[in-house]
Amino acid sequence: MSPILHNAWLAAAGIDGIYAPFSTQPGRFRAFAESLRGGSVAGLNVTLPFKGEALALADEATFRASAAQAANVLVFREDGSILADNTDGLGMLAALAEQAPGFDPAGGPVVVLGAGGAARGAVAAFVEAGGPEVRIVNRTLARAQEIADGLGARAFPLSDVAAAFDGAVAVVNATSAGLSGSAGLEVPIEATPAGAVVMDMVYKPLKTPFLAQAQAHGRRTVDGLAMLIGQAIPSFEYFFGQTPPKSVDVRRLAIEALGL
């Protein structure tokens, strides 16, 4: 999806540039990225399974990337150094701000479901945004506890999810449950406060079973497509030195491309 977003922005901004997909095999990523040092390209967005390798080869990393232990952005500087960042958490916060106006990430406890790389990035973003308490819920408590210990969060087992929901201002699904029609998460959304915002990082389908359940209980919802677009904006700013033009309806382009 990223080339669709970025190339539409480039065209609208009149920038002489191109955003192109590159494919590399496991074990070859480091050599590929190292060959780009010095600014032959502005940077890379990095997807699974290379986000950990991307962080490891960088000369400098933001707090977000270090906390998430993964980078989805590499910026190639003219002096030959590489900066790593993780804009996934920024995308999440941007999506919450866009689709849940008035939401304050520092306004109360937030809950992140899952303990993978996406969850770690979400926790780091909430911590950086001043969240007073970030709660991580995972089927395997030890994995959640590892993240919690490193970032100052609290870990809960899935069996105690209702307790984690108590008083939460937001719940974010950072698992792949519900992706492409797979079974959704079975959690008691009704245990969240009536004013809680519920978000799913999955964007296909746009309305996941998790979001449908939240809407059925009257909760405000935020979809994963807004996050996809939100994480692309700071990447564009890194690569091209300006904010993407707002005149382009990239959400509509993405929905058409995804057949949603």
Side-chain angles (χ1 to χ4, degrees):
M1 293 306 302
S2 292
I4 293 173
L5 306 179
H6 285 267
N7 285 321
W9 283 329
L10 284 168
I15 296 174
D16 182 15
I18 188 170
Y19 186 105
F22 293 90
S23 178
T24 186
Q25 299 300 312
R28 300 286 300 277
F29 176 78
R30 175 177 282 274
F32 167 69
E34 290 283 3
S35 72
L36 302 177
R37 283 186 182 269
S40 56
V41 300
L44 295 175
N45 278 133
V46 184
T47 190
L48 295 174
F50 304 114
K51 291 185 178 183
E53 290 182 76
L55 177 64
L57 65 83
D59 301 292
E60 181 183 349
T62 64
F63 165 81
R64 292 183 294 267
S66 297
Q69 297 184 8
N72 74 323
V73 177
L74 292 179
V75 181
F76 298 101
R77 295 160 163 167
E78 291 184 1
D79 64 2
S81 65
I82 299 176
L83 170 68
D85 197 358
N86 190 313
T87 64
D88 289 334
L90 293 178
M92 177 193 69
L93 294 175
L96 286 163
E98 175 192 349
Q99 295 191 343
F103 170 75
D104 180 4
V110 295
V111 179
V112 176
L113 303 175
R120 189 182 290 272
V123 172
F126 279 130
V127 170
E128 189 176 41
E133 183 175 85
V134 183
R135 303 167 179 172
I136 309 166
V137 178
N138 194 56
R139 192 178 306 275
T140 304
L141 180 60
R143 293 191 63 188
Q145 193 64 60
E146 179 187 356
I147 300 174
D149 290 344
L151 293 174
R154 289 184 64 191
F156 291 77
L158 186 59
S159 59
D160 205 16
V161 65
F165 284 170
D166 184 39
V169 297
V171 176
V172 177
N173 173 32
T175 77
S176 59
L179 179 64
S180 299
S182 64
L185 284 170
E186 295 184 5
V187 292
I189 288 296
E190 64 275 13
T192 60
V197 177
V198 177
M199 178 179 176
D200 201 328
M201 290 187 179
V202 171
Y203 60 82
K204 190 173 184 180
L206 199 57
K207 182 189 287 187
T208 63
F210 183 62
L211 293 184
Q213 179 190 5
Q215 288 178 355
H217 286 92
R219 305 303 188 261
R220 289 193 295 169
T221 59
V222 176
D223 62 57
L225 184 55
M227 176 176 168
L228 176 72
I229 295 169
Q231 64 81 29
I233 292 172
S235 296
F236 188 92
E237 292 170 345
Y238 268 131
F239 301 152
F240 305 110
Q242 61 182 271
T243 300
K246 295 181 179 180
S247 59
V248 186
D249 188 353
V250 289
R251 183 177 175 89
R252 177 183 60 80
L253 295 176
I255 288 174
E256 290 177 353
L258 290 165
L260 300 176

